[in-house]
């Protein structure tokens, strides 16, 4: 089988993955605090062959999407009129604590709400405690790194903003959240302020994403044409032996 089949089939498959990334960015264009992703490609099985005058010429068999890089650039903030909505004025993330798993995640989406959790008091009796949460059971952390207990649901809360030493490689999970790994380094409290009653909009550039969707569609079409051409070439060669 000629190499064109492999290169074209791999190219078509990877363009489908690329379309998925840009499609996800477009789908989240109205989600507060969402950070768009950009696909990155790398070479597959590249080597060199000896050409005229012993020149070393590159020979390859396609590319693949090796990673998606997150665009952490800030975007506009918009008023919502809700008491427990917060927008970060500058760099940083809100920190969320999941009491069921002890997981700490980070987000730019400050659409918070007040929810109750049943806990045991110092007398061993159950009682309801009200926390500032993301609406999905994760508690928002204050500037000292502790979950925020709410006594007045209309008052501005001491929402903490945290900086991550190396943002490259943050794991993008559901609900616009990020998880850190060892390579992300230290986390510390940021000096960035917050604005109550506002939320940061998605940083998805719709015009850019649409242009990349069109680009991927055309690349996918060309890859399929390459498969057809390679098939025709191989069919012609096989018929010559008959």
């Amino acid at each position: 089988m000629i190499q064109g089949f492999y290169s074209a089939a791999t190219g078509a498959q990877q363009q489908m993955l690329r379309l998925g990334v840009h499609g996800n960015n477009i789908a989240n264009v109205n989600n507060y605090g969402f950070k768009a992703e950009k696909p990155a490609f790398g070479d597959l099985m590249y080597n060199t062959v000896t050409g005229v005058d012993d020149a070393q010429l590159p020979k390859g068999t396609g590319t693949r999407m090796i990673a998606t890089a997150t665009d952490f650039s800030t975007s506009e903030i918009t008023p919502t009129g809700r008491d427990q909505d917060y927008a970060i004025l500058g760099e940083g993330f809100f920190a969320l604590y999941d009491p069921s798993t002890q997981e700490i995640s980070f987000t730019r989406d400050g659409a918070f709400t007040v929810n109750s959790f049943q806990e045991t008091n110092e007398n061993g009796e159950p009682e309801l405690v009200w926390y500032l949460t993301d609406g999905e059971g994760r508690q928002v952390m204050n500037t000292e790194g502790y979950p925020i207990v709410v006594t007045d649901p209309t008052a501005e809360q001491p929402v903490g903003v945290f900086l991550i030493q190396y943002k490259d490689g943050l794991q993008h999970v559901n609900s616009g959240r990020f998880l850190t790994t060892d390579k992300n380094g230290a986390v510390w409290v940021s000096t960035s302020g917050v604005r109550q009653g506002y939320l940061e909009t998605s940083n998805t550039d719709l015009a850019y994403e649409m242009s990349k969707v069109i680009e991927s569609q055309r690349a996918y079409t060309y890859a399929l044409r390459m498969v057809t051409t390679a098939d025709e070439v191989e069919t012609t060669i096989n018929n010559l032996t008959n």
Side-chain angles (χ1 to χ4, degrees):
M1 184 176 69
I2 63 177
Q3 191 173 352
F5 279 116
Y6 179 83
S7 298
T10 301
Q13 180 192 44
Q14 297 304 307
Q15 290 302 324
M16 290 178 62
L17 296 177
R18 184 189 184 195
L19 275 171
V21 174
H22 293 298
N24 182 65
N25 291 341
I26 293 173
N28 286 279
V29 68
N30 291 322
N31 283 358
Y32 293 113
F34 178 79
K35 298 303 175 186
E37 294 182 331
K38 296 181 180 180
F41 287 81
D43 300 335
L44 272 179
M45 298 174 63
Y46 265 62
N47 54 25
T48 57
V49 295
T50 302
V52 178
D53 298 328
D54 293 327
Q56 296 298 301
L57 305 176
K59 178 184 178 182
T61 54
T63 62
R64 71 180 180 93
M65 193 173 74
I66 57 176
T68 53
T70 304
D71 178 10
F72 287 105
S73 62
T74 58
S75 54
E76 298 179 355
I77 63 173
T78 182
T80 64
R82 295 182 67 250
D83 293 326
Q84 300 308 325
D85 283 347
Y86 297 90
I88 299 175
L89 304 177
E91 298 293 326
F93 298 87
F94 300 114
L96 304 173
Y97 170 74
D98 190 335
S100 62
T101 63
Q102 285 76 55
E103 176 188 81
I104 296 177
S105 56
F106 299 88
T107 183
R108 293 281 298 190
D109 183 2
F112 301 139
T113 185
V114 179
N115 290 115
S116 62
F117 290 75
Q118 183 168 300
E119 298 182 354
T120 302
N121 60 23
E122 58 184 12
N123 296 322
E125 300 173 344
E127 66 175 359
L128 289 180
V129 181
W130 296 87
Y131 288 95
L132 187 66
T133 76
D134 66 345
E136 297 181 0
R138 290 175 284 267
Q139 301 166 353
V140 183
M141 302 179 75
N142 61 20
T143 54
E144 297 180 352
Y146 295 99
I148 299 174
V149 178
V150 178
T151 55
D152 183 354
T154 62
E156 182 174 354
Q157 304 300 319
V159 179
V161 179
F162 300 85
L163 291 176
I164 299 172
Q165 188 173 8
Y166 304 111
K167 292 184 289 187
D168 183 38
L170 283 173
Q171 183 181 354
H172 205 165
V173 292
N174 63 334
S175 302
R177 297 179 299 115
F178 298 91
L179 298 177
T180 59
T181 61
D182 291 339
K183 69 178 181 180
N184 295 122
V187 178
W188 62 89
V189 178
S190 171
T191 57
S192 298
V194 297
R195 190 166 185 180
Q196 185 184 21
Y198 284 74
L199 288 175
E200 181 183 8
T201 58
S202 169
N203 71 349
T204 298
D205 185 338
L206 193 55
Y208 171 84
E209 298 298 336
M210 290 301 298
S211 68
K212 292 302 178 182
V213 166
I214 295 172
E215 184 180 294
S216 297
Q217 288 175 330
R218 290 178 177 174
Y220 180 79
T221 301
Y222 297 150
L224 292 185
R225 288 180 182 176
M226 186 176 175
V227 171
T228 302
T229 301
D231 179 65
E232 292 174 351
V233 171
E234 184 137 331
T235 299
T236 300
I237 294 174
N238 290 337
N239 288 338
L240 290 176
T241 61
N242 296 331

